[in-house]
Amino acid sequence: MSLFLFPHSIPSGGAAGLAILINHWFHISLGFSLWLANIVFLLFALPYFGFTWTFRTIISV
């Protein structure tokens, strides 16, 4: 991804694709926008999966 998709601003699926779009639209750094996208996804997962699953996902990644 970092060798082909990110330099050419080609969005892929998931958080990386959303990060590329955030970077393109708002000129936020790619690393920060990837963190931001993942945090938003985890916040949406929290009520659905619960705290334990979400916390274990954060620790495992």
Side-chain angles (χ1 to χ4, degrees):
M1 290 181 131
S2 64
L3 295 176
F4 182 72
L5 294 179
F6 290 161
H8 302 292
S9 297
I10 299 172
S12 63
L18 188 59
I20 290 175
L21 292 174
I22 291 171
N23 174 264
H24 180 72
W25 290 332
F26 301 110
H27 304 289
I28 298 173
S29 71
L30 209 51
F32 181 74
S33 60
L34 187 58
W35 274 94
L36 186 67
N38 280 318
I39 288 170
V40 169
F41 285 149
L42 286 171
L43 288 176
F44 278 118
L46 191 59
Y48 185 76
F49 292 113
F51 178 78
T52 304
W53 182 88
T54 306
F55 181 73
R56 286 181 181 171
T57 299
I58 293 169
I59 296 301
S60 67
V61 171

